[in-house]
Amino acid sequence: MTDQAVLQSVLDRAAAGGRITKEEALDLYRHAPLHALGQAADAVRRRRYAGTEHIATYIIERNINYTNVCVTACKFCAFYAAPKDTKKGWSRDLDDILRRCAETVELGGTQIMFQGGHHPDYGVEYYEHHFAAIKQAFPQLVIHSLGASEVEHMARISGVSAEEAIKRIHAAGLDSFAGAGAELLPARPRKAIAPLKESGERWLEIMEIAHKLGVESTSTMLMGTGETNAERIEHIAMIRDTQDRTGGFRAFIPYTYQPENNHLKGRTQATIFEYLRMIAVARLFLDNIAHIQGSWLTVGKEAGQLSLHYGADDLGSIMLEENVVSSAGAKHRSNRQEIIDLIRKAGRTPAQRATTYEHLLVHDDPANDPADDRVVSHISSTAIEGGTAHPELKLISAN
Ligand code: SF4
């Protein structure tokens, strides 16, 4: 067979539901024609969601950045402040956090993503206290937050095991982990961009502990900081191996590195084509993960739309607040109607989903679209400028 015929036979096998190897995934990622890759990935998506394959989902959530103070100093991060940098560092108090939760509920949000730096004083007790307070005031909000890196950090601060830390924050109110901190799991690129973070193996080990305790999560990948194609595929292979044992990853979410305001010099961002190829290969290779999420926030709305034709079934969230990747240059903003329209123009029926991916509201008739135009993604002036919390929710419209 010719090389192209070999690639097509791998695509056909994957499209028919067969498992592909790491080497085959790398060959597809490097050499398969883009459209053939998308076609095979879309076939897998349609088969997995037979009956609802016309639907693409989104969620309304709020990122609550509780502090930017961080001891881990990742080189790609434009958000953090070193503990001694008292001018730039800030933390939100509980009242401010609860006010942000109240606004989320008022705007129809169902999920909060508690996300912040590795503060040298914040151990397990801090998260227990905050999650318990949020759950008591807003039991309807799902706390889909943190990740293995935060668990490693808080357990060290409190002098307990990762298992105990997870049990305690879960008991206090954490529903699921957001998969933060995966970055790149293989050792070489991880050390190059986040030398003080736990190893990729440890990140997966903590996720495995969480899954076995009944705390599910998503998984992520940061693309475009100088990693090789082989390292990208190694990253998803490490996730697939863990998922074979636990089944606890609900979704895989690749997103692209944003190059502004950080310490990585001379890195190029992943291109849209690299991103779409990764979405498609992830759909074909990660046969044990249900959801592949397209990201409009870092790659733009059109690429987000295209991702729905390359294997993605979900377009992520309308974030009522986002500050971390925005600090590094992600400039895309959107509102609910725009996301609904993006999904419709991509040929799908939009549906608002829950954290666990159940459809909450299927927008099958444009005449019944939600009229509330306050559901808009925005950046907090506090997180960008530093200082004390801004008293008002500032909505910044798309574009
Ligand atoms: S990515 Fe997270 S852990 Fe790394 S420096 Fe930024 S805030 Fe800290």
Side-chain angles (χ1 to χ4, degrees):
M1 281 199 283
T2 64
D3 287 353
Q4 282 307 317
V6 171
L7 287 174
Q8 191 57 53
S9 78
V10 175
L11 284 173
D12 292 343
R13 173 154 47 85
R19 177 162 273 209
I20 62 173
T21 66
K22 198 164 69 172
E23 293 72 26
E24 288 170 334
L26 182 56
D27 266 354
L28 293 182
Y29 189 66
R30 281 181 172 147
H31 303 302
L34 183 62
H35 292 306
L37 204 51
Q39 227 168 19
D42 197 49
V44 171
R45 180 197 64 82
R46 276 187 274 112
R47 200 185 47 255
R48 187 181 262 277
Y49 294 105
T52 57
E53 71 271 25
H54 59 292
I55 286 178
T57 51
Y58 72 91
I59 189 168
I60 303 175
E61 70 162 3
R62 185 167 193 167
N63 268 23
I64 297 181
N65 302 117
Y66 49 96
T67 184
N68 69 342
V69 176
C70 186
V71 294
T72 304
C74 301
K75 292 184 183 172
F76 63 87
C77 181
F79 172 75
Y80 83 94
K84 61 176 188 253
D85 188 350
T86 49
K87 259 186 152 172
K88 190 181 168 200
W90 50 264
S91 294
R92 298 194 193 291
D93 62 26
L94 183 55
D95 284 347
D96 183 359
I97 289 167
L98 291 174
R99 181 180 60 75
R100 285 162 199 269
C101 291
E103 288 165 352
T104 306
V105 170
E106 196 206 327
L107 293 173
T110 58
Q111 168 179 298
I112 61 161
M113 180 121 65
F114 211 65
Q115 188 184 33
H118 296 169
H119 194 294
D121 299 334
Y122 293 177
V124 178
E125 302 73 19
Y126 171 88
Y127 296 95
E128 282 182 308
H129 178 65
H130 283 70
F131 291 162
I134 291 168
K135 275 290 178 185
Q136 191 184 9
F138 305 102
Q140 68 274 52
L141 275 181
V142 173
I143 305 179
H144 175 69
S145 298
L146 311 180
S149 299
E150 284 78 17
V151 170
E152 180 81 336
H153 176 74
M154 74 175 80
R156 191 184 312 123
I157 297 292
S158 296
V160 300
S161 66
E163 180 171 351
E164 183 181 334
I166 294 166
K167 279 183 181 162
R168 283 172 52 184
I169 61 174
H170 183 40
L174 176 92
D175 292 288
S176 49
F177 284 117
E183 326 304 3
L184 286 149
L185 295 169
R188 192 205 64 82
R190 190 173 187 83
K191 280 211 169 75
I193 62 170
L196 300 183
K197 258 189 181 137
E198 71 292 330
S199 69
E201 286 77 13
R202 179 62 178 156
W203 189 92
L204 287 165
E205 190 184 352
I206 292 173
M207 282 304 190
E208 188 159 352
I209 294 168
H211 295 171
K212 287 180 176 161
L213 290 170
V215 185
E216 293 191 331
S217 72
T218 54
S219 57
T220 59
M221 176 168 71
L222 173 62
M223 295 179 67
T225 60
E227 73 283 359
T228 64
N229 289 336
E231 287 163 345
R232 288 176 183 168
I233 299 302
E234 182 61 30
H235 177 99
I236 58 175
M238 291 167 81
I239 289 173
R240 188 172 80 172
D241 286 350
T242 300
Q243 181 76 341
D244 275 343
R245 291 192 297 278
T246 73
F249 288 121
R250 292 175 182 152
F252 174 67
I253 309 161
Y255 65 101
T256 56
Y257 159 66
Q258 304 297 304
E260 292 178 18
N261 307 322
N262 63 37
H263 297 289
L264 282 185
K265 301 273 183 270
R267 309 291 168 129
T268 49
Q269 274 177 284
T271 66
I272 303 276
F273 292 121
E274 289 176 285
Y275 171 76
L276 290 174
R277 297 183 82 83
M278 178 47 65
I279 289 278
V281 168
R283 174 58 83 191
L284 297 170
F285 181 77
L286 296 173
D287 55 355
N288 53 5
I289 293 187
H291 302 283
I292 304 294
Q293 181 179 311
S295 161
W296 57 268
L297 179 69
T298 58
V299 293
K301 291 163 195 160
E302 291 79 8
Q305 267 181 317
L306 274 173
S307 72
L308 296 177
H309 292 278
Y310 283 78
D313 60 293
D314 180 76
L315 214 45
S317 58
I318 300 166
M319 278 179 272
L320 302 174
E321 176 176 351
E322 200 293 320
N323 302 302
V324 177
V325 291
S326 302
S327 304
K331 295 187 173 63
H332 304 287
R333 302 280 165 267
S334 198
N335 59 41
R336 183 189 224 181
Q337 189 59 54
E338 196 177 6
I339 292 293
I340 290 171
D341 290 343
L342 281 179
I343 292 173
R344 260 195 206 120
K345 283 178 188 156
R348 300 276 154 73
T349 301
Q352 186 188 348
R353 69 163 169 89
T355 305
T356 43
Y357 290 86
E358 291 85 16
H359 299 162
L360 301 176
L361 184 60
V362 179
H363 306 290
D364 43 16
D365 181 354
N368 296 330
D369 281 355
D372 193 344
D373 62 1
R374 292 177 305 156
V375 181
V376 178
S377 64
H378 90 297
I379 305 171
S380 159
S381 56
T382 308
I384 301 307
E385 294 160 9
T388 53
H390 196 287
E392 300 301 327
L393 176 67
K394 186 177 174 192
L395 300 180
I396 299 174
S397 64
N399 305 315

